[in-house]
């Protein structure tokens, strides 16, 4: 397996061994031998504002900015190659979520850990940041099963479908009582959740329609987004800063929210509050969202990208915003197995 990376690299978040303004096309990342072997098995890669983290078989590697300890190190300096995070070696982490400048790690036993910025209370502690690993308080009786991190908020789902939240309530109210949740995703100032009834529920800032409601600028309480059941069952939901995407069991992609940079995959600057299908995308198996760009992987192992491209996050060799999905698979030597995104950067693991 090989790891390819592209997009902004101002703090070494692409793991290329150097820092640069951008890498405009998918570029092979030289990995430590152990990590090169590890990405062949059960691997997840994700990123925050200026850092990136890989999870594989309970082990964690990170690269990029560490100014507030988002890589779980008290040494507040950037690194430009993926390095194992020693404080997580014994935690058996199964998934990772990166906020702008903090990170969340979910262990196999349902314990949620975090590190990095706590300026808005997103880690639930008293100090402004946590350079060392801390455990987020679980106020319920059930373990956590999934977590998401945004700009100023953290949200976790318990095994029985309830939410726990940490962080600023200026834009995102910390709700209670929302049940039967199977997936949650944080945006810049909003949260969207999927429940067992195939409903999308969102709240927070709605100035671009990202909460799925017409005309209202802010949604204080969780509100159901209109969804046509003929579109199928929703398998996954992800959020960028101000846009959202879902993947259905028909392997189709629907988007809504802001489209200023093309992040909705439509040749129009018009925002939309209602999920609309991207017609070019069929046979899609997974999706990922950066702050203002989007990615999809299809059944043939091909990668599609679109949206904001000022720092090369679309990976097509230029810096023009991309309003329609484009296939960038000619940059890869083989079939792409998985994808991941940070705020302005992107990853692909290639067989």
């Amino acid at each position: 397996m090989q790891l390819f990376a592209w997009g902004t690299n101002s703090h070494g978040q692409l793991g290329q061994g150097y820092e640069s303004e951008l890498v405009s096309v998918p570029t092979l990342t030289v990995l430590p031998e152990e990590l090169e072997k590890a990405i062949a098995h059960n691997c997840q890669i994700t990123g925050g504002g200026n850092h990136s983290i890989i999870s594989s078989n309970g082990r964690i590697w990170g690269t990029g900015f560490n100014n507030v300890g988002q890589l779980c190190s008290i040494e507040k300096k950037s690194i430009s190659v993926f390095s194992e995070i020693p404080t997580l070696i014994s935690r058996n982490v199964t998934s990772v979520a990166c906020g702008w400048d903090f990170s969340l790690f979910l262990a196999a036993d349902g314990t949620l850990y975090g590190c990095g910025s706590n300026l808005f209370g997103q880690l639930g502690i008293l100090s402004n940041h946590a350079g060392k690993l801390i455990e987020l308080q679980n106020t319920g009786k059930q373990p956590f099963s999934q977590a998401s991190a945004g700009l100023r908020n953290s949200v976790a789902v318990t095994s029985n479908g309830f939410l726990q939240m940490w962080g600023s309530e200026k834009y995102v109210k910390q709700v209670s009582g929302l049940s039967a949740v199977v997936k949650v995703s944080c945006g810049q100032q909003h949260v969207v959740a999927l429940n067992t009834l195939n409903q999308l529920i969102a709240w927070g800032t709605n100035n671009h329609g990202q909460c799925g409601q017409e005309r209202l600028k802010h949604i204080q309480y969780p509100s159901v987004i209109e969804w046509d059941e003929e579109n199928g069952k929703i398998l996954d939901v992800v959020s960028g800063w101000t846009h959202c995407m879902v993947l259905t069991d028909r392997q189709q992609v629907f988007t809504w929210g802001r489209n200023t940079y093309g992040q909705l995959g439509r040749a129009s600057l018009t925002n939309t509050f209602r999920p609309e299908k991207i017609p070019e995308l069929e046979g899609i198996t997974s999706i990922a969202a950066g702050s203002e760009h989007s990615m999809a992987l299809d059944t043939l192992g091909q990668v599609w990208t679109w949206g904001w491209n000022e720092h090369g996050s679309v990976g097509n060799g230029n810096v023009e915003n991309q309003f329609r999905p484009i296939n960038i698979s000619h940059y890869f030597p083989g079939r792409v197995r998985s994808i991941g995104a940070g705020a302005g950067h992107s990853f692909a693991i290639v067989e």
Side-chain angles (χ1 to χ4, degrees):
M1 294 290 181
Q2 295 177 311
L3 176 64
F4 283 76
W6 62 99
T8 182
N9 191 43
S10 52
H11 295 280
Q13 58 263 51
L14 298 186
Q16 298 287 322
Y18 58 87
E19 297 178 1
S20 61
E21 178 62 24
L22 61 89
V23 175
S24 63
V25 298
T27 303
L28 180 64
T29 301
V30 177
L31 301 175
E33 184 178 352
E34 281 190 299
L35 178 53
E36 189 173 355
K37 294 177 181 178
I39 63 172
H41 307 284
N42 192 29
C43 175
Q44 177 202 1
I45 185 164
T46 189
N50 296 287
H51 70 293
S52 305
I53 293 177
I54 295 177
S55 167
S56 179
N57 288 341
R59 299 174 65 181
I60 304 296
W61 288 262
T63 188
F65 213 16
N66 188 55
N67 63 317
V68 288
Q70 54 266 59
L71 295 179
C72 293
S73 172
I74 59 175
E75 295 184 20
K76 296 179 181 179
K77 62 180 182 180
S78 301
I79 59 174
S80 59
V81 294
F82 280 99
S83 304
E84 188 160 17
I85 299 177
T87 55
L88 287 161
I89 288 176
S90 62
R91 306 291 182 174
N92 196 16
V93 173
T94 56
S95 65
V96 179
C98 292
W100 177 257
D101 53 4
F102 65 100
S103 306
L104 302 177
F105 306 92
L106 181 63
D109 65 1
T111 304
L112 186 62
Y113 301 96
C115 60
S117 175
N118 185 58
L119 195 59
F120 301 96
Q122 58 266 54
L123 298 179
I125 58 176
L126 295 178
S127 63
N128 285 339
H129 66 271
K132 295 182 179 180
L133 196 68
I134 61 103
E135 181 179 333
L136 276 73
Q137 183 182 9
N138 187 338
T139 57
K141 297 180 180 180
Q142 299 298 319
F144 295 121
S145 59
Q146 190 252 326
S148 179
L151 180 67
R152 299 172 175 173
N153 298 88
S154 300
V155 185
V157 184
T158 62
S159 59
N160 58 344
F162 287 93
L163 293 186
Q164 288 190 35
M165 303 180 63
W166 305 265
S168 171
E169 291 198 83
K170 182 177 181 180
Y171 304 104
V172 181
K173 184 178 177 63
Q174 295 187 23
V175 301
S176 59
L178 195 61
S179 62
V181 175
V182 293
K183 176 73 187 290
V184 66
S185 185
C186 293
Q188 185 180 45
Q189 297 170 354
H190 76 278
V191 173
V192 59
L194 172 67
N195 68 17
T196 55
L197 299 176
N198 201 40
Q199 292 177 322
L200 293 164
I201 300 166
W203 66 103
T205 299
N206 188 54
N207 56 333
H208 301 288
Q210 59 266 49
C211 287
Q213 309 300 322
E214 190 174 12
R215 289 187 288 273
L216 296 173
K217 298 296 183 182
H218 186 265
I219 309 300
Q220 185 174 5
Y221 297 103
S223 301
V224 176
I225 297 173
E226 183 180 334
W227 175 257
D228 188 345
E229 290 297 328
E230 292 186 0
N231 292 329
K233 181 180 179 181
I234 299 169
L235 300 181
D236 194 14
V237 56
V238 298
S239 292
W241 272 173
T242 50
H243 75 290
C244 301
M245 293 197 295
V246 294
L247 173 65
T248 72
D249 61 351
R250 298 179 183 178
Q251 299 183 320
Q252 296 172 330
V253 177
F254 291 74
T255 59
W256 69 98
R258 189 179 188 183
N259 198 43
T260 309
Y261 308 106
Q263 56 265 57
L264 299 187
R266 290 187 278 278
S268 167
L269 290 174
T270 305
N271 303 332
T272 177
F273 67 92
R274 184 178 290 112
E276 295 182 9
K277 185 174 72 172
I278 301 179
E280 293 95 330
L281 298 179
E282 297 287 344
I284 301 302
T285 59
S286 65
I287 53 176
S291 59
E292 305 288 1
H293 76 284
S294 308
M295 304 176 68
L297 177 65
D298 68 21
T299 54
L300 300 177
Q302 300 179 125
V303 176
W304 300 80
T305 59
W306 62 97
W308 182 56
N309 199 31
E310 182 180 353
H311 298 284
S313 50
V314 171
N316 62 347
N318 63 55
V319 292
E320 301 296 323
N321 295 331
Q322 179 67 38
F323 283 80
R324 290 285 193 185
I326 55 170
N327 189 330
I328 61 168
S329 298
H330 57 283
Y331 288 109
F332 307 115
R335 178 188 179 97
V336 174
R337 196 190 69 178
S338 62
I339 55 175
H345 54 295
S346 309
F347 295 97
I349 294 176
V350 183
E351 293 179 351

